[in-house]
Amino acid sequence: MSYCLGIESTADDFGVGILSFDGKILANIISAYTPERGGIHPREAARHHAEVAGEVVGKALQTAGITPQAIRVVAFSQGPGMGPCLRTGATAARALAAYLKIPLVGVNHCVAHIEIGKLIGETKDPLTLYVSGGNTLVSAFEAGRYRVFGETLDIAVGNCLDVFARDAGLHPEEGMPLGAMVEKLANQGQAFISLPYIVKGMDLSFSGLLTAAAQLLQRAKYPIEDLCFSLQETVFSMLTEVTERALAHTEKKEVLLTGGVAANKRLQSMLSQITDEHDARFCVIPKEYALDNGAMIAWTGILAYQHGMTIPIEKSFVKLKWRLDEVYAPWVRD
Ligand code: ATP
Ligand code: FE2
């Protein structure tokens, strides 16, 4: 059997996954960099990735129970993402490929989220809503590419929830990301406070809404539970509106929800409702594969490798702003 080792390092996580060419996940190891306070600092995260790279690769091989020589191809997340983080992962991947004398494949991070979602969720041709700390997009495959039907014009929805939570004085606890803390408080909220609802065409904007919510926080007039509830209702309705319109337009029969924010039960219920109304199947990707992970890079690496899409080391530069709709994906059939 042939195996691919995939390295993910676009942001705060350094992940290594190993898959067999027939789609079995043998290992999926993640080492997360957690800043002591505030958001991610790209250089600090990259330093973390460099420190743990050897250990995480070793652990993945051990978990998979294979020797490095059994690896047939190395894949890495080539973009989009933070420069220093991407470069650290790319360096590790190049070193491995050179040492083992095997081919290298550069993978688009957003495509990888969709491909692992298809594998895990057993969907063939879904409309995907990918919502995380750094991304917010609605995509489906049409005419040879993953098209972007809607996306954020400014910050990502996860970032919006995180900044609001930090402004409210919440601190991420072990095993509980800020978005999950907002969800917990929102469950206790009762009154809806109106916030700016900004959908432009098929695109979304969260920064004005975040400013408005932060101002309400400062005035300390409303309970935090009601503010969290209202923030969630507003941002998730915006996401649901755009997803529903894309679904009506594309007539896809499956909806895939992925990314860190996919864990949110309220978002799941709103999307599941519109999916039902369109007679489509709704699928939420479990956290292990919805968050950034190496398995998704390995799997997409296999698909690309099987279509001859390897890159020479000297051309394996990272692409910080690599858009999903620029990716040539010959392994997907229309
Ligand atoms: P990417 O590179 O994909 O943008 P990321 O590391 O920023 O990656 P993820 O790890 O996929 O993002 O997701 C983290 C985001 O998910 C954070 O914004 C976090 O607050 C949010 N999140 C996690 N759990 C929940 C939840 N239950 N409800 C809402 N948001 C959540
Ligand atoms: Fe991601």
Side-chain angles (χ1 to χ4, degrees), residues 168-198:
L170 305 175
H171 298 286
E173 289 163 17
E174 196 56 44
M176 196 171 219
L178 287 167
M181 296 174 86
V182 171
E183 177 175 21
K184 202 170 154 195
L185 288 167
N187 286 337
Q188 295 152 27
Q190 279 159 1
F192 180 76
I193 305 148
S194 178
L195 288 166
Y197 182 102
I198 310 170

Side-chain angles (χ1 to χ4, degrees), residues 38-39 133 155-170 178-179 182 206-207 210-211 213-214 217 231:
I155 56 172
V157 60
N159 189 228
C160 173
L161 296 173
D162 291 352
V163 173
F164 176 81
R166 261 188 241 118
D167 282 356
L170 305 175
L178 287 167
V182 171
F206 298 103
S207 66
L210 173 61
T211 308
L217 257 181
L231 180 66

Side-chain angles (χ1 to χ4, degrees), residues 3-6 21 70-75 102-105 301-302 305 310:
Y3 304 99
C4 174
L5 181 146
F21 275 34
I71 305 285
R72 172 101 158 260
V73 55
V74 176
I102 53 176
L104 188 63
V105 175
I302 291 169
Y305 174 73
T310 61

Side-chain angles (χ1 to χ4, degrees), residues 112-192:
H113 271 291
I114 300 175
E115 292 301 346
I116 196 76
K118 283 159 68 179
L119 180 74
I120 299 285
E122 294 178 2
T123 60
K124 282 200 176 70
D125 181 25
L127 177 79
T128 303
L129 175 63
Y130 163 35
V131 272
S132 65
N135 290 282
T136 304
L137 52 88
V138 178
S139 167
F141 199 83
E142 293 242 317
R145 273 165 209 267
Y146 283 110
R147 307 285 165 181
V148 176
F149 285 93
E151 63 190 321
T152 179
L153 297 167
D154 39 60
I155 56 172
V157 60
N159 189 228
C160 173
L161 296 173
D162 291 352
V163 173
F164 176 81
R166 261 188 241 118
D167 282 356
L170 305 175
H171 298 286
E173 289 163 17
E174 196 56 44
M176 196 171 219
L178 287 167
M181 296 174 86
V182 171
E183 177 175 21
K184 202 170 154 195
L185 288 167
N187 286 337
Q188 295 152 27
Q190 279 159 1
F192 180 76

Side-chain angles (χ1 to χ4, degrees), residues 222-283:
Y222 301 104
I224 179 71
E225 291 83 358
D226 288 348
L227 284 173
C228 288
F229 168 71
S230 309
L231 180 66
Q232 276 203 174
E233 290 303 299
T234 309
V235 296
F236 296 161
S237 301
M238 288 161 55
L239 291 169
T240 305
E241 180 194 329
V242 171
T243 309
E244 180 172 24
R245 269 196 279 146
L247 189 58
H249 173 80
T250 57
E251 298 182 341
K252 298 285 179 193
K253 289 289 156 225
E254 298 153 331
V255 172
L256 200 71
L257 175 61
T258 192
V261 185
N264 192 289
K265 293 277 185 298
R266 180 63 183 136
L267 176 60
Q268 290 176 10
S269 106
M270 284 190 191
L271 286 168
S272 138
Q273 195 182 337
I274 57 129
T275 308
D276 276 356
E277 282 165 14
H278 287 262
D279 290 326
R281 180 164 88 86
F282 180 54
C283 179

